[in-house]
Amino acid sequence: MFAYIVRRLLLIIPTLVVILLVNFVIVQAAPGGPVEQAIAHLQGIGGGGVGAGAGESISASRASRGLDPKLIKDIEKQYGFDKPAPERLWLMLRNYAQLDFGNSFFRGKTVIELILEKMPVTISLGLWATLITYLVSIPLGIRKAVRHGSSFDIWSSTAIVIGYAMPAFLFAMFLIVVFAGGTSLNWFPVRGLVSENFDELSTVGKVADYFWHLVLPVTALVIGGFATLTILTKNSFLNEITRQYVVTARAKGLSERRVLYGHVFRNAMLLVISGIPQAFISVFFAGSLLIEVIFSLDGLGRMSYEAAVSRDYPVVFGSLFIFTLFGLLIKLIGDLCYTLVDPRIDFTARNA
């Protein structure tokens, strides 16, 4: 197992390099870079800032003819575009190997500072949403499998299908309308992770205030993953319940609970565990963007989106590096969880 872990960790390095290389090529081909936006801002074309498109970039290039060439050279040097693309790529990879992600073009902070500043919001959303999803979905999926075809299975499946069909952002808007002042109910806040007077509260008050602000955004995030995981758990258990070893265990006189949790659970959970990395990463990074925007939460998803729109390349590549590294490590942890559920699995022998 140790050799397998070492091999997987070593494979992370070329994987990160390839992903960064592909995205570097794509970014270089995208119009409206930071130099063009700075020139457009100087000329008063389109405001220069976030949201400058290809057409504005072309206008900026034309407008740059009226600027002092030395000023243009200074702008290119400021953003690191005075060097050819291969040299910029090499410098970026060398710095990343030292965990130096550079400084943001427009935010006046290092990329590490920005990521650490935004990470608590994203961790709060992703951690609690994933935890609640698994704590509810797995027992519910097992119960649905045991009572397959019953009225409980039918009405719960109907609710699950409706939840799966409803996008997270639409459900978030529904929650705001119903529970955050859109009707007569005004139970929960819709802005930020804590209240403005958070520092003045007691320890218990701070904890309560924190979870009070999380209720609506976490609920909106849970709805889609909750439906998927429940159905996956139910189908996994149904598939295992029909196996011959279950019939044999029942024939030996074992209780239904012993058969279910002593034999079926270990095998059925393998398929569920295999989906943990993808579900975790999806909730953490992909699913949180719209939720962060709707509930005015300043997290990594919102920061990455704004950086991509404004062509803040150090933030784009730095967050991409962190997200990719984090995702690969989560996948490795998912593989290790297999051995905890079923010790018979031997990754070392599989890769021999």
Side-chain angles (χ1 to χ4, degrees):
M1 177 58 70
F2 178 75
Y4 171 77
I5 294 175
V6 171
R7 284 200 299 269
R8 286 290 299 271
L9 290 175
L10 291 176
L11 282 173
I12 288 178
I13 298 175
T15 303
L16 285 171
V17 172
V18 171
I19 291 176
L20 287 173
L21 177 60
V22 171
N23 282 273
F24 183 84
V25 173
I26 294 174
V27 165
Q28 298 306 308
V35 174
E36 288 84 355
Q37 293 196 30
I39 293 174
H41 179 73
L42 290 174
Q43 294 289 342
I45 301 175
V50 176
E56 294 173 355
S57 175
I58 294 173
S59 298
S61 298
R62 292 173 179 172
S64 66
R65 298 172 185 172
L67 293 178
D68 186 352
K70 184 179 183 302
L71 176 59
I72 297 176
K73 292 292 184 181
D74 291 340
I75 294 174
E76 292 176 347
K77 184 176 182 179
Q78 176 184 353
Y79 294 116
F81 281 82
D82 57 328
K83 303 178 180 66
E87 185 177 352
R88 295 202 306 273
L89 175 62
W90 165 248
L91 291 174
M92 183 183 72
L93 295 177
R94 188 186 67 182
N95 292 334
Y96 278 26
Q98 303 171 7
L99 297 182
D100 178 9
F101 304 112
N103 300 315
S104 168
F105 286 159
F106 309 115
R107 295 174 181 257
K109 295 182 179 179
T110 66
V111 176
I112 288 292
E113 289 175 343
L114 288 172
I115 291 176
L116 293 177
E117 180 183 314
K118 313 298 182 184
M119 189 170 288
V121 172
T122 301
I123 288 180
S124 294
L125 291 177
L127 181 62
W128 291 114
T130 304
L131 182 62
I132 292 173
T133 297
Y134 275 81
L135 288 179
V136 174
S137 297
I138 292 177
L140 179 59
I142 295 174
R143 184 173 178 82
K144 285 175 61 62
V146 172
R147 302 183 60 179
H148 179 62
S150 66
S151 58
F152 168 79
D153 182 41
I154 294 174
W155 71 256
S156 60
S157 294
T158 302
I160 286 172
V161 169
I162 294 174
Y164 180 75
M166 182 175 293
F169 75 90
L170 183 60
F171 189 65
M173 299 301 295
F174 169 78
L175 292 175
I176 291 175
V177 170
V178 176
F179 298 109
T183 60
S184 59
L185 303 178
N186 191 11
W187 292 350
F188 302 101
V190 293
R191 292 183 61 85
L193 197 60
V194 293
S195 300
E196 294 181 359
N197 64 336
F198 181 78
D199 294 333
E200 303 172 5
L201 301 175
S202 64
T203 302
V204 176
K206 289 180 179 180
V207 173
D209 183 74
Y210 168 73
F211 284 108
W212 183 47
H213 281 75
L214 280 177
V215 170
L216 295 187
V218 169
T219 302
L221 273 177
V222 162
I223 191 68
F226 164 80
T228 304
L229 184 60
T230 301
I231 296 300
L232 177 62
T233 303
K234 175 191 174 182
N235 292 338
S236 298
F237 272 79
L238 284 178
N239 182 56
E240 292 297 325
I241 287 174
T242 59
R243 301 293 180 109
Q244 184 61 42
Y245 73 88
V246 176
V247 177
T248 303
R250 287 171 174 167
K252 290 180 178 180
L254 296 179
S255 66
E256 192 65 23
R257 184 178 182 84
R258 178 74 181 276
V259 171
L260 188 63
Y261 291 100
H263 294 76
V264 176
F265 183 82
R266 183 176 63 181
N267 296 320
M269 285 303 294
L270 290 176
L271 184 59
V272 176
I273 287 177
S274 67
I276 289 179
Q278 181 177 355
F280 194 68
I281 296 169
S282 176
V283 171
F284 243 88
F285 304 124
S288 63
L289 171 58
L290 290 176
I291 300 301
E292 289 177 5
V293 173
I294 291 172
F295 291 97
S296 300
L297 299 171
D298 196 8
L300 290 176
R302 184 175 178 181
M303 180 196 73
S304 301
Y305 170 75
E306 292 176 350
V309 172
S310 63
R311 305 298 193 268
D312 195 348
Y313 293 155
V315 177
V316 171
F317 286 112
S319 57
L320 174 67
F321 182 90
I322 297 296
F323 292 172
T324 305
L325 177 61
F326 185 78
L328 293 172
L329 291 176
I330 288 294
K331 288 182 181 295
L332 175 59
I333 293 173
D335 284 348
L336 297 180
C337 288
Y338 277 122
T339 62
L340 297 178
V341 177
D342 191 349
R344 297 172 298 175
I345 295 178
D346 187 357
F347 287 105
T348 303
R350 187 187 71 176
N351 288 274

